[in-house]
Amino acid sequence: MPDHFISFPKNFIWGSATSAFQIEGSPLADGAAKSNWYEWTHTPGRIKNGDTADVAIDHYRLYKNDVAIMKQMGLKSYRFSISWPRIIPERGKVNQKGLDFYRSLIQELLSAGIMPNITLFHWEVPVWAEGGWENRETALAFQEYAEVLFKAFGNEVPFWATMNEPSIVSGHGFLQAYFPPGKKDKTLFAKAVHHLNLGHALAVQSFRKMNLKGQIGLVLAIFPFKSRDGNPEDEKYAQKMFDLHNGVFLNPSVGRPYPPFFFEFTGENQADYEKDYSLFNQPLDFLGVNHYNPSFAKYVKDLNIWENDGKPIDGMPTNELGWPVSPTALYDLLMFLWKEYRHKQIIITENGYPQLTSNHTLEELLEDDARVHYYGTYMEQAQKAIRAGVPLTGYYPWSLFDNFEWCEGNNPRFGLIHVDYKTLKRTFKKSAHWYQKVIAQNGFDLGLLPKNPNYPIYHDKPKA
Ligand code: FCB
């Protein structure tokens, strides 16, 4: 192997990730209930370009074909989510047809030798769960739903995650009004955070009680917040952002109390929240880390978790949505998490690079050098963290396929595989071929990455 070959430990889990709402389509098929996202995508003005996920990439009907593509790529594992409203059409009822769909998908994966890695909640709340996460009952209903799935597939599925990115659900949904339910209310934010933690913990508790063979974890979006220019006020502010965004989920995940700033910010009474701390103490088998970019904090007087100055630094490379590209931030983050929180195992459950359809020709979308470069340089840092001792066991690029990107609609494409939204044809991009080889060789040659990724460069002031 050449000197610059980056190789990974034996049995490293090479995966790829998607989520139900973003790829399945047919949201109301076969007895599914409506979800908050179904309603949100049908509310004028919420989604760019008026896009919906009614068809998405039609994975609900094309899943067999999609598993064949995964096999061709050589995936060891596939991370996907189950749609809660497909399984539980109303509280206390189970929709057999919903279970059948996922049973068939799981069987297909297992016969292809691909390990399912299931996320129970990737953002679709059934509309019957009134109030959603602001209501404590939602956490209890979530536990009931989790138990249905553990019972149905508990012993066949090696990896389970309770939730995907609860920080985005609570922040975007209850402080920024960007996601459903579209509120801006600190008390409701506090309640949502707490009930998400509760739902997660109760599901883990059920999993342990049922004595299942697989492993269970939690997937968090973790943004390292750095000060923009190193002044002390910004440093303090960055810490507060970290606490509100990451700390409120990381702390409970290792049995620690909420960061004090959570109560300072929301004005909530700590005693009301402490009562559940004993329940929160549910050791995890792994922490799933979704990481795309660092965020640069700049002090503003009335701190709102999402309305900070998250702009990149002048001259930094970014992706096409303006998120800074900074591979070393992944290394720093993994080292920090490992030292600070000591989860038994860390899995990178998402990491990826978008291109905007509106910026490119089809040929450019398929010749995605920037994505290959992004993955190569991020994986290099992941491997460096493993060498430094971080118990990192897997890596799941986001995403396997181009898909519906929430409020951004269909314009951003994150896939290794291109999807033509008219014909639904799937085509390997350059990055998919590259990744196929990475999996086969359990590593890659750093010297062979594209020399010129052409990342967009961020400028504080547009160049005249
Ligand atoms: C993450 C989400 C995922 C996708 C990527 C781009 O926050 O978990 O569904 O939208 O961002």
Side-chain angles (χ1 to χ4, degrees), residues 19 22 79 122-123 164-165 168 221 290 292 323 350 398 403-406 414:
S19 88
Q22 294 177 276
R79 172 175 180 245
H122 200 129
W123 303 357
N164 180 71
E165 302 187 349
I168 303 287
N290 291 358
Y292 293 83
W323 309 350
E350 285 183 30
W398 181 274
N403 60 49
F404 177 79
E405 178 50 27
W406 309 108
F414 276 90

Side-chain angles (χ1 to χ4, degrees), residues 165 167-168 172 220-226 238 241-242 245-246 289-295 306 323 333:
E165 302 187 349
S167 66
I168 303 287
H172 278 348
L220 299 180
I222 308 187
F223 292 89
F225 286 95
K226 304 187 177 181
M241 295 294 293
F242 183 90
H245 188 103
N246 306 313
V289 174
N290 291 358
H291 175 73
Y292 293 83
N293 57 277
S295 191
W306 294 104
W323 309 350
L333 174 65

